[in-house]
mmCIF file of all heavy atoms in Angstrom:
data_model
loop_
_atom_site.group_PDB
_atom_site.id
_atom_site.type_symbol
_atom_site.label_atom_id
_atom_site.label_comp_id
_atom_site.label_asym_id
_atom_site.label_seq_id
_atom_site.Cartn_x
_atom_site.Cartn_y
_atom_site.Cartn_z
ATOM 1 N N MET A 56 -2.910 -24.534 6.902
ATOM 2 C CA MET A 56 -1.653 -24.454 7.637
ATOM 3 C C MET A 56 -2.048 -24.439 9.113
ATOM 4 O O MET A 56 -3.067 -23.840 9.458
ATOM 5 C CB MET A 56 -0.996 -23.119 7.230
ATOM 6 C CG MET A 56 0.336 -22.840 7.833
ATOM 7 S SD MET A 56 0.892 -21.213 7.161
ATOM 8 C CE MET A 56 2.031 -20.789 8.435
ATOM 9 N N PRO A 57 -1.297 -25.141 9.971
ATOM 10 C CA PRO A 57 -1.670 -25.162 11.389
ATOM 11 C C PRO A 57 -1.706 -23.746 11.965
ATOM 12 O O PRO A 57 -0.842 -22.931 11.634
ATOM 13 C CB PRO A 57 -0.560 -25.988 12.053
ATOM 14 C CG PRO A 57 0.194 -26.645 10.961
ATOM 15 C CD PRO A 57 -0.061 -25.896 9.692
ATOM 16 N N TYR A 58 -2.706 -23.465 12.793
ATOM 17 C CA TYR A 58 -2.824 -22.141 13.397
ATOM 18 C C TYR A 58 -1.706 -21.934 14.402
ATOM 19 O O TYR A 58 -1.529 -22.731 15.318
ATOM 20 C CB TYR A 58 -4.195 -21.989 14.059
ATOM 21 C CG TYR A 58 -4.338 -20.703 14.848
ATOM 22 C CD1 TYR A 58 -4.116 -19.468 14.243
ATOM 23 C CD2 TYR A 58 -4.674 -20.734 16.196
ATOM 24 C CE1 TYR A 58 -4.224 -18.296 14.969
ATOM 25 C CE2 TYR A 58 -4.802 -19.560 16.929
ATOM 26 C CZ TYR A 58 -4.564 -18.342 16.303
ATOM 27 O OH TYR A 58 -4.677 -17.186 17.023
ATOM 28 N N ASP A 59 -0.962 -20.859 14.210
ATOM 29 C CA ASP A 59 0.123 -20.480 15.109
ATOM 30 C C ASP A 59 -0.177 -19.043 15.536
ATOM 31 O O ASP A 59 -0.036 -18.104 14.751
ATOM 32 C CB ASP A 59 1.455 -20.583 14.346
ATOM 33 C CG ASP A 59 2.661 -20.084 15.148
ATOM 34 O OD1 ASP A 59 2.484 -19.238 16.055
ATOM 35 O OD2 ASP A 59 3.787 -20.531 14.860
ATOM 36 N N ALA A 60 -0.639 -18.889 16.779
ATOM 37 C CA ALA A 60 -1.136 -17.590 17.245
ATOM 38 C C ALA A 60 -0.084 -16.483 17.119
ATOM 39 O O ALA A 60 -0.390 -15.375 16.668
ATOM 40 C CB ALA A 60 -1.614 -17.711 18.692
ATOM 41 N N ALA A 61 1.153 -16.793 17.507
ATOM 42 C CA ALA A 61 2.196 -15.759 17.474
ATOM 43 C C ALA A 61 2.506 -15.339 16.038
ATOM 44 O O ALA A 61 2.675 -14.152 15.735
ATOM 45 C CB ALA A 61 3.462 -16.272 18.159
ATOM 46 N N LEU A 62 2.544 -16.325 15.153
ATOM 47 C CA LEU A 62 2.822 -16.038 13.739
ATOM 48 C C LEU A 62 1.685 -15.215 13.128
ATOM 49 O O LEU A 62 1.911 -14.251 12.378
ATOM 50 C CB LEU A 62 3.007 -17.348 12.966
ATOM 51 C CG LEU A 62 3.432 -17.206 11.506
ATOM 52 C CD1 LEU A 62 4.856 -16.677 11.384
ATOM 53 C CD2 LEU A 62 3.309 -18.550 10.772
ATOM 54 N N PHE A 63 0.458 -15.598 13.472
ATOM 55 C CA PHE A 63 -0.687 -14.861 12.938
ATOM 56 C C PHE A 63 -0.631 -13.402 13.390
ATOM 57 O O PHE A 63 -0.784 -12.476 12.582
ATOM 58 C CB PHE A 63 -2.011 -15.505 13.371
ATOM 59 C CG PHE A 63 -3.177 -15.015 12.551
ATOM 60 C CD1 PHE A 63 -3.724 -15.802 11.543
ATOM 61 C CD2 PHE A 63 -3.718 -13.746 12.769
ATOM 62 C CE1 PHE A 63 -4.767 -15.331 10.759
ATOM 63 C CE2 PHE A 63 -4.765 -13.272 11.997
ATOM 64 C CZ PHE A 63 -5.293 -14.067 10.993
ATOM 65 N N THR A 64 -0.388 -13.213 14.674
ATOM 66 C CA THR A 64 -0.355 -11.840 15.201
ATOM 67 C C THR A 64 0.774 -11.025 14.576
ATOM 68 O O THR A 64 0.601 -9.843 14.264
ATOM 69 C CB THR A 64 -0.211 -11.860 16.738
ATOM 70 O OG1 THR A 64 -1.389 -12.448 17.282
ATOM 71 C CG2 THR A 64 -0.055 -10.466 17.302
ATOM 72 N N LYS A 65 1.908 -11.671 14.350
ATOM 73 C CA LYS A 65 3.023 -10.961 13.711
ATOM 74 C C LYS A 65 2.580 -10.405 12.355
ATOM 75 O O LYS A 65 2.786 -9.229 12.051
ATOM 76 C CB LYS A 65 4.225 -11.898 13.522
ATOM 77 C CG LYS A 65 5.412 -11.218 12.856
ATOM 78 C CD LYS A 65 6.608 -12.134 12.700
ATOM 79 C CE LYS A 65 6.537 -12.918 11.404
ATOM 80 N NZ LYS A 65 7.801 -13.626 11.105
ATOM 81 N N HIS A 66 1.924 -11.255 11.566
ATOM 82 C CA HIS A 66 1.512 -10.806 10.231
ATOM 83 C C HIS A 66 0.356 -9.809 10.304
ATOM 84 O O HIS A 66 0.303 -8.850 9.519
ATOM 85 C CB HIS A 66 1.163 -12.011 9.358
ATOM 86 C CG HIS A 66 2.377 -12.767 8.912
ATOM 87 N ND1 HIS A 66 3.367 -12.185 8.140
ATOM 88 C CD2 HIS A 66 2.796 -14.034 9.149
ATOM 89 C CE1 HIS A 66 4.329 -13.077 7.912
ATOM 90 N NE2 HIS A 66 4.011 -14.202 8.522
ATOM 91 N N ALA A 67 -0.549 -10.008 11.245
ATOM 92 C CA ALA A 67 -1.672 -9.067 11.387
ATOM 93 C C ALA A 67 -1.151 -7.686 11.778
ATOM 94 O O ALA A 67 -1.634 -6.659 11.278
ATOM 95 C CB ALA A 67 -2.661 -9.592 12.426
#
Side-chain angles (χ1 to χ4, degrees):
M56 182 179 158
Y58 173 56
D59 175 334
L62 186 69
F63 196 103
T64 295
K65 180 179 88 169
H66 286 299

